């Protein structure tokens, strides 16, 4: 069977994109970045939205917390909208086009890149503006969504401390352990977040397909759980209805390798939506240039398969080994 990639109109925009301009005057001197200090001891916790401009569930969540007037009882709380220029360019007729303006905001997070002033882009300017706040954050939650419909997942990064934080937060059910992307470092791996010796920690949540209502539910639930785990708020402080039932179990999937298209001749063996698990090594999951692509080990999991942006050199799926 040759599954087809869903056309854009198969994923209608189900949610209203909030007008974030009322939040432009941040409390930090940085536009769209709001920090609140309780005056009591505790961590500095950051909830970040719009790392990509078309991933609206995070924007709805952060706007909801600001409108709710949430303030920390302990420590500090930062609520931020990141790539606001890309968000402002969103066009429902071309909904994937506003992922970024010049380059991926989530691939610039090393000191070497940020300090290199010979490099310039809309995203680098925004990252450099936000960096002084991010450098003081102890716990970061970065809210994302996906091109395709898939179960939500946590991207913990490669370190044991990220897995431990994922388990402590408790949802979503699938924890993806990976090294990131070769084209650049993510915010969740920046500086101390990616240092095993540092107490600083971060998670990235893929909440669902970009514009589906359920992604907003996941973003709200994950944010509520993250804030409660961090201890900066009490449950009574949160907006009503944000917490959802906790999954009975979580499982850990460690990414081992990408499957990369070498031409436009790639097709999957089934209508995969992600997190499918194959018991046996050698199971055919697709064909690349007419040759079968097979699972390299038992209990192999497909992580975020997508043909939407198929072209030579693009990763069409990542393969992960089920650990728990």
């Amino acid at each position: 069977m040759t599954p087809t990639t869903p056309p854009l109109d198969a994923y209608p925009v189900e949610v209203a994109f909030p007008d974030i301009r009322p939040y432009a005057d941040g409390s930090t001197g940085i536009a769209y970045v709001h920090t609140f200090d309780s005056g009591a001891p505790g961590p500095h916790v950051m909830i970040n939205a719009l790392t990509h401009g078309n991933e609206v569930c995070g924007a709805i969540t952060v706007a909801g917390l600001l409108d709710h007037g949430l303030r920390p009882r302990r420590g500090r709380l930062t609520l931020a909208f990141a790539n606001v220029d890309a968000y402002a360019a969103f066009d429902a007729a071309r909904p994937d086009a506003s992922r970024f303006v010049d380059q991926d905001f989530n691939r610039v997070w090393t000191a070497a890149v940020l300090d290199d002033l010979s490099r310039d882009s809309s995203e680098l300017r925004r990252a450099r503006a936000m960096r002084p706040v991010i450098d003081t954050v102890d716990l970061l939650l970065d809210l994302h969504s996906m091109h395709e419909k898939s179960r939500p997942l946590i991207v913990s990064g490669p370190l044991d401390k990220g897995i431990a934080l994922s388990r402590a937060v408790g949802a979503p059910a699938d924890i993806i352990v990976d090294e990131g992307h070769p084209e650049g470092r993510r915010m969740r791996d920046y500086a101390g977040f990616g240092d095993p010796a540092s107490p600083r920690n971060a998670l990235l949540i893929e909440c669902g397909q970009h514009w589906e209502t359920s992604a907003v539910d996941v973003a709200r639930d994950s944010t509520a759980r993250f804030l409660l785990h961090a201890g900066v708020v009490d449950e009574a402080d949160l907006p009503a209805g944000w917490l959802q039932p906790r999954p009975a179990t979580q499982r850990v999937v460690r990414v081992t390798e990408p499957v990369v298209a070498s031409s436009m001749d790639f097709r999957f063996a089934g209508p995969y939506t992600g997190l499918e698990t194959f018991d046996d090594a050698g199971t055919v999951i697709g064909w690349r240039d007419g040759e079968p692509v097979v699972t390299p080990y038992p209990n192999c999991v497909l992580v975020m398969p997508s043909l939407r942006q198929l072209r030579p050199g693009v990763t069409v799926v990542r393969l992960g080994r089920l650990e728990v």
Side-chain angles (χ1 to χ4, degrees):
M1 176 172 57
T2 305
T4 58
T5 302
L8 287 177
D9 58 8
Y11 297 141
V13 179
E14 297 176 356
V15 297
F17 277 51
D19 181 1
I20 65 171
R21 289 173 295 181
Y23 314 112
D25 293 333
S27 61
T28 60
I30 304 166
Y32 294 96
V33 178
H34 300 258
T35 297
F36 308 102
D37 194 333
S38 70
H44 183 185
V45 178
M46 180 174 177
I47 308 298
N48 186 66
L50 295 180
T51 292
H52 297 121
N54 61 349
E55 299 182 2
V56 68
C57 63
I60 294 170
T61 300
V62 168
L65 293 179
L66 289 167
D67 291 346
H68 186 68
L70 185 71
R71 298 293 184 270
R73 292 179 181 266
R74 296 159 289 274
R76 286 183 289 165
L77 173 63
T78 291
L79 304 173
F81 305 92
N83 199 340
V84 292
D85 287 345
Y87 182 72
F90 180 79
D91 178 357
R94 300 174 61 244
D96 283 322
S98 58
R99 179 176 171 85
F100 54 80
V101 177
D102 297 317
Q103 67 178 116
D104 195 323
F105 183 83
N106 214 29
R107 303 291 185 269
V108 302
W109 289 96
T110 65
V113 171
L114 296 173
D115 290 341
D116 183 357
L117 299 184
S118 69
R119 299 178 59 171
D120 182 56
S121 68
S122 174
E123 280 72 23
L124 277 170
R125 291 191 293 273
R126 181 61 175 160
R128 289 164 180 153
M130 294 179 66
R131 184 183 184 187
V133 169
I134 294 171
D135 280 341
T136 69
V137 169
D138 299 302
L139 294 169
L140 168 71
L141 178 63
D142 196 14
L143 295 170
H144 287 247
S145 54
M146 296 178 271
H147 290 297
E148 315 289 354
K149 280 188 178 290
S150 178
R151 293 206 312 269
L153 53 88
I154 306 175
V155 178
S156 71
L159 303 177
D160 288 343
K161 69 178 183 179
I163 300 172
L165 180 57
S166 301
R167 290 194 181 281
V169 171
D174 291 281
I175 302 168
I176 306 301
V177 181
D178 73 344
E179 297 284 346
H181 301 276
E183 60 267 32
R185 188 171 297 172
R186 304 169 296 201
M187 184 192 293
R188 67 126 287 112
D189 303 309
Y190 170 64
F193 303 140
D195 179 355
S198 171
R200 302 174 68 202
N201 213 343
L203 297 180
L204 185 161
I205 307 288
E206 297 283 6
C207 298
Q209 201 279 328
H210 291 323
W211 313 294
E212 62 183 345
T213 303
S214 61
V216 177
D217 296 334
V218 172
R220 288 171 170 167
D221 176 61
S222 299
T223 296
R225 292 183 180 281
F226 194 86
L227 293 172
L228 290 173
H229 169 71
V232 293
V233 301
D234 295 340
E235 186 171 341
D237 301 325
L238 296 166
W242 277 33
L243 283 169
Q244 302 294 314
R246 181 172 175 149
T249 60
Q250 288 181 297
R251 65 176 189 166
V252 175
V253 177
R254 189 173 298 272
V255 171
T256 62
E257 60 201 83
V259 175
V260 178
S262 52
S263 70
M264 296 300 291
D265 183 9
F266 189 98
R267 58 191 177 97
F268 285 116
Y272 305 135
T273 60
L275 302 174
E276 291 85 0
T277 303
F278 298 89
D279 295 337
D280 300 322
T283 303
V284 175
I285 60 168
W287 292 268
R288 177 172 45 199
D289 297 327
E291 296 296 322
V293 177
V294 302
T295 54
Y297 39 73
N299 296 318
C300 182
V301 182
L302 304 189
V303 178
M304 297 175 65
S306 177
L307 296 179
R308 185 180 293 278
Q309 297 178 324
L310 177 63
R311 62 184 184 276
V314 163
T315 295
V316 294
V317 68
R318 294 184 294 166
L319 303 181
R321 189 189 303 272
L322 181 61
E323 294 191 349
V324 178

